[in-house]
Every structure is written in structure tokens, then in C-alpha cells.
Amino acid sequence: MNEPILEITTNVGCKVNCNYCPHMKTVQHLKGQDYNMSFETFKASLETVPQEIEICFAGYSEPFLNEYCTDMILYADAKGHPVKVYTTTVGLDIDQLRKIQHIKFVSFELHMPTRTGNERIVVDDNYLALLQTIYRTINEVHFIFVCNEKGDERLELVDFVRDKSVVHIDIAQSRAGNVKHIAPEKYKPGKLACDKDLRWNVLLPNGDVAVCCQDFHAQHIIGNLLTQSYPSIFSSKPFLAFKALLEVDNSNILCRNCEFAIEL
């Protein structure tokens, strides 16, 4: 069984605007609400989350576009949670980095710019210096290129990395059919199981919890951590109803085109 993870979407409306990310779909869910998670909301949402649950700063947007992201990372670490970060570094500066250098991260994953510019990441001397500082001072750093096709990776940006096993090249996926210009997984009929055991959930800025990291539409909200405890969400009607749909042939759920869905 996969270990449970709670991803944190610190904000929506990501200005990095990767062309293989359907982040604007989440904006529609939060229309009329604050697009940035407050530090108070983050603290309140973590109140009932067991210490062993990994807190992953990624979600549906670049985490450091929220000015309180560093404070959130420090708070999660102080509470004893395993902490992971997935970032383009847009919004992160050296002063913020110094505040979190002491943390023993599960991993600190750097989402890198590609040759065809599918991400709005400015590659200049400041960016290159920040990359090298992260590599020198943070543990478990990984460099991840997400490419629409092989050969789009800018490997010259990681020439300074001694151990090339921490450099990864991934091909962009459709995010369960949410990215329209990328062919989705073939439709999966019948009964399904989730490779993540439905425990890779995403916290949104208003406290809502989306069922998984692919649900950019926030189509399947299973609870809210401002009004419910973390354990109670997994015995709630919305969660149990969604779980039951995995057993129903051809049910209308995003898992039908999901890269992580397993046909039974």
C-alpha cells in the first residue's frame, strides 16, 4: 500500500503556465474565493492530520507563488511531518531558501525549463545561481524535466550535477484527460483500482480536499479540513461514494482516463 500524501495547493492561477498543466481548471472551482491560501487556513487544516502523513508542497500550482509558502514548510516540519517540495523556483529567493536549508526533506524536486519554453521560467544568472545553491545546501535534490517529446530537456542546465541519477526526464501526461492537446490514456471500462489507493489527496486554498493529484477540475471533493477532521474524511459520504464508483462499470469518474488507474 502506498503511504498517504497530502499535497498542498498554496494558490491557484499559476503564472508559470506550463502548457501541459490544466491549472486554470482549478480557478473555476474557487471562483469568487481567495486564490491564495492564508497561513491561518494552512495551520487549521493541518490540525487533525496525523504526524506520519507526508506533506507535499506541489498541488495544482507553483507553491512559492504564495508568500507564506516558506512559513508553511517550516510549520509542517516543526509538527513532525515528512515534507516534500516540487517547485520551478518561481517565487523562491535566496533569503527564503536559507530559512528552510536545515530541513531534512523527503525530496526537493526542481521542475526544470525545457528547450521549447513550455514553462514561463526565466533562465538568467540569478536562476542558475539559485539552482546551484539549492543543490549545495538542500538534501535529496532531484532535477525533473517534463517534456512534450524526447530531446526537449536542457541538460546543459545541470552540468554541475555530479550524480546524474538525480536528473529525470519525464514525458508530459494528459493528467487523466485534463490536458486536451495530449492524448489521454485509453478509456478504462469496468472495475478499477487506484495505484495511489485514493490517498494522494490535494488540499485547496479554501480547505477543500480533492480526491487526487489529477483532479484539477476539483470535480471530486471528498471533504474540507476546516470543518472536518482528516481521518473522518475517509469515512465520509463523498469519499465512500467516489470509492464505490470504482466498482461500477463505466461510471463517470476521471479515473477512466487516468494514468494511475488499474484495470481489474
Side-chain angles (χ1 to χ4, degrees):
M1 179 177 176
N2 288 294
E3 293 298 321
I5 294 174
L6 182 62
E7 280 199 34
I8 311 300
T9 298
T10 68
N11 66 99
V12 299
C14 182
K15 70 179 184 181
V16 183
N17 205 30
C18 304
N19 79 347
Y20 40 74
C21 176
H23 67 97
M24 287 304 294
K25 296 181 183 294
T26 321
V27 173
Q28 297 164 15
H29 174 73
L30 288 175
K31 190 173 183 179
Q33 302 180 61
D34 194 341
Y35 291 166
N36 286 284
M37 184 182 293
S38 71
F39 187 41
E40 291 70 25
T41 292
F42 178 75
K43 290 192 293 184
S45 296
L46 251 62
E47 187 66 30
T48 62
V49 179
Q51 189 179 65
E52 67 270 16
I53 302 300
E54 180 181 303
I55 304 300
C56 175
F57 290 87
Y60 305 145
S61 184
E62 164 53 53
F64 287 104
L65 290 175
N66 185 311
E67 62 179 316
Y68 300 110
C69 183
T70 303
D71 294 327
M72 294 175 186
I73 291 171
L74 291 168
Y75 184 79
D77 178 66
K79 282 181 65 70
H81 292 282
V83 176
K84 178 188 290 184
V85 172
Y86 184 91
T87 177
T88 62
T89 75
V90 175
L92 176 64
D93 60 34
I94 291 289
D95 290 337
Q96 291 172 312
L97 182 64
R98 289 193 184 104
K99 294 178 181 179
I100 59 175
Q101 285 175 346
H102 65 282
I103 294 175
K104 299 300 181 185
F105 291 98
V106 174
S107 63
F108 198 98
E109 300 177 2
L110 296 170
H111 178 182
M112 302 291 290
T114 50
R115 199 168 301 285
T116 49
N118 295 317
E119 315 81 3
R120 292 180 181 170
I121 302 172
V122 176
V123 178
D124 57 14
D125 288 344
N126 289 333
Y127 172 77
L128 297 173
L130 183 61
L131 284 187
Q132 296 195 38
T133 302
I134 291 170
Y135 182 61
R136 288 198 315 270
T137 62
I138 297 289
N139 73 303
E140 290 299 328
V141 175
H142 292 257
F143 301 83
I144 301 174
F145 293 92
V146 181
C147 305
N148 284 321
E149 57 185 22
K150 192 74 172 173
D152 203 19
E153 61 273 11
R154 297 180 64 177
L155 292 178
E156 70 276 9
L157 296 178
V158 292
D159 280 345
F160 62 90
V161 177
R162 295 182 298 277
D163 179 6
K164 293 301 194 263
S165 70
V166 301
V167 177
H168 311 275
I169 301 169
D170 296 337
I171 299 299
Q173 55 169 263
S174 76
R175 306 310 294 259
N178 278 313
V179 183
K180 296 309 177 187
H181 69 271
I182 297 177
E185 286 276 299
K186 69 178 181 66
Y187 182 85
K188 298 175 180 177
K191 296 181 181 181
L192 301 175
C194 175
D195 180 58
K196 309 300 180 185
D197 300 311
L198 298 181
R199 295 302 299 271
W200 193 323
N201 316 114
V202 181
L203 177 67
L204 300 180
N206 65 350
D208 281 351
V209 178
V211 71
C212 81
C213 58
Q214 304 280 50
D215 191 12
F216 282 80
H217 265 298
Q219 180 182 355
H220 303 294
I221 298 298
I222 57 174
N224 186 293
L225 283 175
L226 298 180
T227 59
Q228 298 167 260
S229 71
Y230 179 86
S232 72
I233 284 177
F234 301 100
S235 59
S236 68
K237 287 183 179 179
F239 178 77
L240 294 177
F242 182 85
K243 187 175 181 180
L245 289 174
L246 291 173
E247 300 281 328
V248 178
D249 289 356
N250 298 309
S251 54
N252 184 24
I253 50 177
L254 81 166
C255 314
R256 296 290 166 198
N257 292 112
C258 182
E259 288 81 358
F260 300 130
I262 302 167
E263 296 181 81
L264 299 178

